[in-house]
Amino acid sequence: MEIPLGEWRIRPWRRGDEPSLVRYANNARVSAFLRDAFPHPYTPADARFWIDSCLEQERPTHFAIASATEVIGSVGLTVLPDIFHRSAEIGYWLGEPFWGRGIATRALSALSAWAFEELELLRLQAGVFANNPASARVLEKAGYHLEARLVRAVVKRSEVLDLLLFARLKA
C-alpha cells in the first residue's frame, strides 16, 4: 500500500528507515504528545523494534510518512476488539521540522479514507491531550469531530490532563 501526498507519501515501514526514524522521533517535543509506549529518548534499538513489529503485521496498519529519501513521521491505526471490531483508533506524529505544513492533515485524511474502504471500518477515533491544540486542529481539518472531553483522564510526564476524543464516521 502506498498513498501519494504530493511531495510526501504514506508507505509501509522498511529496513533502512531506522536512521531517519531516530532523527525525528528522538525529540522531547514530539514524545510529549504521545503515549508513554513511544519512548524518549528514542534509540536505534527502539527504531529496529518498531520496524520489526510493523513488518510482522499480517495486514499492515502502521505506516511511514516519507519523502523519496527519508521518513518524517508515522500514521497508523489499531482496530478495536470484540464488539468494536468495525472501529479503530488512529494516531500520527511528524518530526518537528515538518509541523505546520499540512502534512499531518493530508496523511490523516488519506489514511482515514483508505481505512474506511479497505478495512470496512465504520468509525475512526483519536484521543488528543488537551494541551495539544495543534493536533486537535489537524483532526478537525481531516473531518473529525470532537465527541467528548474526558476530564483528568491521562497523566503525561506527571501532569494530569484532559483527553479530547475525536471521531470520524464513514459517510
Side-chain angles (χ1 to χ4, degrees), residues 52-63 77:
D52 286 347
S53 69
C54 290
L55 293 174
E56 291 170 4
Q57 288 184 314
E58 185 176 320
R59 183 169 195 177
T61 56
H62 291 82
F63 304 97
L77 51 93

Side-chain angles (χ1 to χ4, degrees), residues 4-159:
L5 306 170
E7 108 182 67
W8 314 102
R9 65 184 185 270
I10 297 172
R11 63 156 174 81
W13 287 97
R14 55 186 178 223
R15 287 183 180 38
D17 288 337
E18 295 87 353
S20 57
L21 173 55
V22 172
R23 180 179 316 114
Y24 296 117
N26 189 30
N27 180 324
R29 290 183 52 153
V30 169
S31 67
F33 299 116
L34 301 173
R35 292 183 180 187
D36 289 343
F38 189 95
H40 183 75
Y42 200 101
T43 68
D46 295 319
R48 283 190 301 276
F49 177 81
W50 173 251
I51 291 169
D52 286 347
S53 69
C54 290
L55 293 174
E56 291 170 4
Q57 288 184 314
E58 185 176 320
R59 183 169 195 177
T61 56
H62 291 82
F63 304 97
I65 303 171
S67 70
T69 59
E70 68 177 347
V71 168
I72 63 163
S74 182
V75 62
L77 51 93
T78 301
V79 177
L80 300 175
D82 197 28
I83 61 171
F84 304 103
H85 68 276
R86 300 284 303 273
S87 299
E89 181 178 21
I90 195 163
Y92 53 93
W93 67 268
L94 276 180
E96 188 174 2
F98 306 96
W99 293 357
R101 296 169 54 181
I103 300 166
T105 299
R106 290 195 306 273
L108 187 61
S109 295
L111 191 67
S112 297
W114 175 86
F116 285 133
E117 182 67 28
E118 296 297 320
L119 303 180
E120 299 180 0
L121 297 175
L122 300 173
R123 173 190 172 85
L124 294 169
Q125 63 188 44
V128 176
F129 302 160
N131 66 345
N132 189 358
S135 191
R137 186 70 189 122
V138 165
L139 285 158
E140 289 170 343
K141 290 190 292 186
Y144 286 71
H145 301 282
L146 179 64
E147 283 193 336
R149 180 182 200 104
L150 307 177
V151 178
R152 299 174 54 96
V154 298
V155 179
K156 181 67 178 186
R157 297 183 178 162
S158 300
E159 185 178 1

